[in-house]
Amino acid sequence: MPDIPQKIEYYIGQRRLRDAFSELRAFVSKLGDWHITDEVDRVEQSYSMMLRYASTGADDPGREDVYRSIISEIYSIVDKVSRRLAQIKSPTLYFSSVRYEESVGDASVAELIEDYRGKLMENSIYSRVMSGGAGSSGSGLDKEGLERRIFNKIWTSLPLLPGDMESISSVFSAEDMPVYFKEMLISALLLGLTEYYDERKLLLLLDLYGTSSSQKLAVRALCGALMAMFVHRNRLNPAKLKPRIEILRDTTNWHKDVKMVFLQFIRSRDTEKINRKMQDELLPEMMKLRPDIAKRMKNSDSFADLGALEENPEWQELLDKSGITDKIKELSKMQEEGGDVFMSTFAGLKGFPFFNEVANWFLPFHTEHSSVVASLGNDLSTIGTLVNTSPFLCDGDKYSVVFAVSTVPAAQRKLMLSQFDAQNLNELELRAASMSTADTERDNIANKYVQDVYRFFKLFRRRGEFKDPFVRPLNLLQVELLEVDLTDNETLSVVSEFYFNRGYYEDALRVFKMLSEKMPPNAQVFQKMGYCCQQSGSIASAVEYYGKAELLNAESLWTLKRMAACYKMLDRQADALEYYKRIEAKKPDDLSVALNIGHCLLELDRPSEALHYYFKVEFLDEKSTRALRPIAWASFVSGDYEQSRAYYEKILSDSPMASDYLNMGHLYLASGDVKEAINYYGLSIDNDNGDVESFIKNFNSDAKYLVNSGVEESLLPLVVDAILYARD
């Protein structure tokens, strides 16, 4: 049975607010708080007034906005009650943090930020000089502890108070506040929004995107705002958000940036696919090569010359034959397109104590952090610079690298660092800077930030306690307020191709449909819509779209082949044959087409005509064996047992399958040699790992051919039983 909040959400979705209010009152009664009961009364009274006005038939252009506002208030009350009920005894980190703040005085966000300003002053160079250098050695750690506490407070505050909003805004505009701390606060707002909807937090993120001169802050804020808007798409109040977004459209690169972030969200869906490719394909293949690699290294005369090893064509040949080269190229292409190829690599490096703190997953990498200083010691400058300049690692992975390096023995670390001098590090910094243009920089910021957020929800040790926004595709096309930004022809074209090229065919089809309604009929769009349907298993719909593509471009061989294949899958052999014949007229020597024509003719009980095409394939491709089985079977069906036997004997002499022994059994049964037929049927079962049920199923499906060949139908079950007795 669904709980009360789920019922309320259901009724809201059905636009049955009367029932939603009824459930809401039952839910609120669990608290026994008359203040919240009064709040419900006020909201329901507003709804009653709206209903009375609507019943007069008067025109009311603002009715939908009022309706949305009432829905938003219902959800807010549900959140308030749910949170207070869970706050009492929920063991999650969220509510543990809430209870901790209550136990230490429940300071406001504004008060904690003011304490932080004071802590920064204490740690300033000026303060240390004025105090004669007697600053506390633990002051840095105190500051970091306060940063985490502020993060947790913003994350768990609901709703954010007006004074807290002003204080957070002042942090973003203050020049003396650390940039990494500002970036942390963005993540705290986002994390809070994934737990509960808070319009003030969302407005803060939108305001920061619109006003910040820092690309890092603006792009991160937009990522957080758009993620929150998708998660709470059914709760957004257009009356308050729409004017704010209209201003952003006029004053920023909103349209371009929204599309950029949307593509990053789509890329995040590739992460699991890349992980599986790494774990299930690339790594197992590399493990298989270990013996060969060890052997060649042992026998290599050029072992001392590492450069020669790298250039040795034998090594490349080994990788090429194993398929590793192609897999690496594919992963490299994914990385170039923004794919997260390092997720699986760094998943095992998130067990360091640093990652036990929620806030640290969202902490931008900086070499002044106490954990980095303690881990690197005298190597802080070299390794810190090396890690910090890497354009390929997100912040969380940079911390993982530092902690992993700290576990390397000193001698090995010294050998590693000997490869980098000051000049090399300067070159790395210059190269990293030269790789970025204004657009690529924003894209890279969004890419790395989404990776950091993704890692938290997928790898944090207590991830099950959090509402993962990546559990379903982050499809911004479902956010009504963003419709204007994402439904122009150019954006729809980019998004549809993005989905299509990554194999998300159901999503691609939806976007292609939107695109097809906004532009003149286009053969390629209909082809892709048909292909999406075919890949999703909707074959009849695929035929419909391929048919539209054919009307626009009747000469497309690709379309004709797809139509033929779909008709075959629908068992419409006559229609498939018609299309294969049209393809044959354009490509008379295409052996695949000839085979398919033969298959269609055979299904249409025209085996003699089918044989004509099968022999054509055999004649044109003497080295291939792909026509042998069709010829053998078509010969059997047409009654030419001698020819059929000759071909089956050839087939059985070279890697036979269970079906080949089955068909040879049919041939002997039709010839009246029951004993030899049973012998071959037994071989068929043996060749299929003794799967008797599979044999019986295949035998029964071929019964009509045996009866047509003259075998008495009453004999068939006797043959099966005889086989079963023989195997006892």
Side-chain angles (χ1 to χ4, degrees), residues 185-436:
L185 298 196
I186 292 173
S187 297
L189 292 168
L190 167 59
L191 197 59
L193 280 164
T194 62
E195 199 72 35
Y196 293 102
Y197 181 63
D198 185 345
E199 192 173 76
R200 288 172 180 165
K201 289 179 181 177
L202 177 57
L203 290 173
L204 260 177
L205 291 174
L206 291 173
D207 285 346
L208 179 58
Y209 165 74
T211 59
S212 179
S213 59
S214 164
Q215 285 198 98
K216 276 192 173 183
L217 294 179
V219 172
R220 284 173 176 248
L222 182 62
C223 288
L226 295 178
M227 194 175 294
M229 289 174 72
F230 172 77
V231 170
H232 301 292
R233 57 194 178 280
N234 296 325
R235 299 184 53 174
L236 303 178
N237 187 350
K240 291 187 178 180
L241 292 173
K242 194 172 182 178
R244 193 74 57 100
I245 292 175
E246 290 292 349
I247 293 172
L248 292 174
R249 287 195 182 103
D250 294 336
T251 58
T252 67
N253 291 321
W254 173 267
H255 175 79
K256 187 176 182 180
D257 285 344
V258 167
K259 182 167 67 174
M260 172 196 72
V261 173
F262 184 22
L263 296 182
Q264 292 298 344
F265 288 163
I266 297 175
R267 285 189 182 105
S268 71
R269 294 177 63 180
D270 290 340
T271 306
E272 290 305 317
K273 187 189 298 182
I274 293 171
N275 284 348
R276 288 194 298 271
K277 190 170 287 291
M278 293 277 286
Q279 298 295 330
D280 301 340
E281 297 179 27
L282 183 60
L283 295 179
E285 288 298 329
M286 293 182 74
M287 293 299 291
K288 288 179 186 176
L289 288 183
R290 285 182 65 184
D292 288 331
I293 292 173
K295 181 179 178 182
R296 296 195 184 203
M297 287 179 67
K298 183 178 180 181
N299 297 333
S300 176
D301 295 331
S302 57
F303 179 72
D305 185 355
L306 295 177
L309 276 176
E310 292 173 359
E311 297 168 5
N312 191 334
E314 292 183 13
W315 296 92
Q316 189 61 47
E317 181 185 358
L318 191 66
L319 295 175
D320 291 344
K321 285 183 177 180
S322 67
I324 289 178
T325 300
D326 292 336
K327 290 182 175 66
I328 291 175
K329 286 180 180 177
E330 185 179 354
L331 289 170
S332 297
K333 184 179 179 181
M334 288 180 173
Q335 183 183 12
E336 289 174 8
E337 295 175 348
D340 188 356
V341 300
F342 295 124
M343 173 78 170
S344 60
T345 303
F346 286 97
L349 295 176
K350 302 300 182 186
F352 295 102
F354 174 87
F355 293 109
N356 290 340
E357 290 282 350
V358 173
N360 286 346
W361 286 79
F362 302 97
L363 178 66
F365 183 80
H366 60 108
T367 54
E368 296 83 13
H369 195 273
S370 60
S371 61
V372 177
V373 174
S375 296
L376 298 182
N378 295 331
D379 299 323
L380 176 64
S381 175
T382 306
I383 297 180
T385 303
L386 182 64
V387 172
N388 208 21
T389 54
S390 170
F392 305 112
L393 301 178
C394 61
D395 288 306
D397 289 352
K398 289 178 180 180
Y399 282 108
S400 293
V401 169
V402 166
F403 302 141
V405 167
S406 70
T407 65
V408 174
Q412 294 182 25
R413 196 196 305 188
K414 184 177 180 181
L415 179 64
M416 178 181 69
L417 291 176
S418 67
Q419 306 298 315
F420 298 96
D421 53 24
Q423 183 177 348
N424 287 334
L425 293 175
N426 288 335
E427 288 178 2
L428 283 173
E429 290 177 321
L430 290 172
R431 191 181 305 169
S434 66
M435 288 172 64
S436 297

Side-chain angles (χ1 to χ4, degrees), residues 620-649:
L620 293 176
D621 190 6
E622 295 179 357
K623 294 181 181 179
S624 175
T625 61
R626 57 180 173 168
L628 296 183
R629 287 183 174 86
I631 290 173
W633 180 251
S635 299
F636 167 70
V637 173
S638 64
D640 191 342
Y641 298 157
E642 184 177 343
Q643 181 171 275
S644 178
R645 182 178 289 107
Y647 273 88
Y648 274 124
E649 286 175 351

